[in-house]
Amino acid sequence: MLQYKVYQEISEGQNGLKNLFISMGIVSVVMAFLTLNSVKSLEAPLSEGPPDSWWGWKATSERTSQQPEQTYDQFKPHVLYDYYEKIGEEGRKWRFAMTAWDIFPFMFVYTTLFGALLVRGLTKIGINDGLIARTVTLLPVLVLFYDAVENVICLYQGYIFPEEIDAKLIHAGGTCGKLKFSFLAAVIIIITFLELLSRSVAKDKTKDD
């Protein structure tokens, strides 16, 4: 598959991973700057934080003393809208810029970095190609896809504000956010496992020698 070849070229190329780490540092600094500016002009305090993996969602089974028989709805399509309302006009401009930056180049850099690290880890334990390698390296692509959908919906809400987007889109965005972090967690776990396994294999070879 194409993604495997791309990640392989980067992981095996001269300074490929080093350049990706440098790029990741640069885009992260810009992302932090845009994020801080998006919340600096808050017109009301945030009670639930910025929109990300959870927006549009809230845990169930929570009850209040005033209404003990009622539970909060798990799905709350207004959460994203409320966030844009609270950060004010200036904050919405910064949030729009931050989300656009997140779509490109931030998400492309970090998913490519993870993909290259996966290939490097697989290569260290002797898996250079084949179904396993191609399947595992699909995970960063899925992270990229779900992150893109989540951010495009978030970007769209900021674009049409003060109109409110359809609740189904918010539901889709919130779901994509959760899937993104699930696959991202899987990628990080696999990279860590491959690194530990490769070190163990290297130690065994050293003992045998």
Side-chain angles (χ1 to χ4, degrees):
M1 292 183 183
L2 178 61
Q3 87 282 349
Y4 180 82
K5 294 298 182 184
V6 172
Y7 298 150
Q8 186 181 42
E9 288 182 10
I10 293 171
S11 66
E12 295 178 354
Q14 186 177 10
N15 296 324
L17 280 172
K18 179 182 177 181
N19 291 335
L20 264 181
F21 275 112
I22 293 172
S23 299
M24 187 64 193
I26 294 171
V27 297
S28 297
V29 168
V30 175
M31 175 66 80
F33 171 76
L34 294 172
T35 303
L36 288 172
N37 277 282
S38 71
V39 297
K40 195 174 5 181
S41 58
L42 277 170
E43 295 181 354
L46 286 177
S47 59
E48 300 183 71
D52 208 329
S53 63
W54 54 265
W55 50 259
W57 298 85
K58 185 176 178 66
T60 55
S61 73
E62 186 175 350
R63 298 177 182 272
T64 63
S65 57
Q66 293 82 5
Q67 298 174 309
E69 300 305 318
Q70 293 187 5
T71 59
Y72 289 107
D73 292 332
Q74 184 182 24
F75 175 57
K76 303 206 307 178
H78 63 272
V79 171
L80 182 62
Y81 183 90
D82 289 349
Y83 171 78
Y84 275 109
E85 188 174 42
K86 288 177 179 178
I87 61 177
E89 184 176 357
E90 187 66 21
R92 286 190 292 274
K93 291 178 182 178
W94 282 106
R95 182 73 197 190
F96 191 89
M98 190 222 79
T99 308
W101 181 264
D102 192 2
I103 293 173
F104 186 84
F106 184 77
M107 69 172 64
F108 284 92
V109 173
Y110 86 79
T111 53
T112 302
L113 175 60
F114 282 131
L117 289 173
L118 280 173
V119 171
R120 187 185 72 165
L122 289 167
T123 302
K124 282 184 175 181
I125 62 170
I127 301 177
N128 299 311
D129 202 343
L131 182 61
I132 293 177
R134 294 171 188 273
T135 301
V136 169
T137 53
L138 269 177
L139 292 175
V141 178
L142 291 173
V143 173
L144 176 63
F145 172 76
Y146 289 121
D147 198 4
V149 174
E150 177 193 20
N151 278 286
V152 166
I153 293 173
C154 194
L155 194 69
Y156 180 60
Q157 173 63 92
Y159 178 74
I160 67 169
F161 191 89
E163 295 181 46
E164 189 169 0
I165 62 177
D166 189 273
K168 291 179 180 178
L169 284 177
I170 297 295
H171 188 283
T175 301
C176 284
K178 291 177 181 297
L179 288 170
K180 173 190 72 176
F181 278 109
S182 297
F183 284 115
L184 184 59
V187 169
I188 294 171
I189 290 171
I190 293 172
I191 290 173
T192 304
F193 172 76
L194 290 173
E195 182 63 28
L196 293 175
L197 183 59
S198 66
R199 291 183 182 184
S200 176
V201 171
K203 285 181 180 179
D204 290 340
K205 286 184 177 180
T206 302
K207 289 179 181 179
D208 293 338
D209 294 340

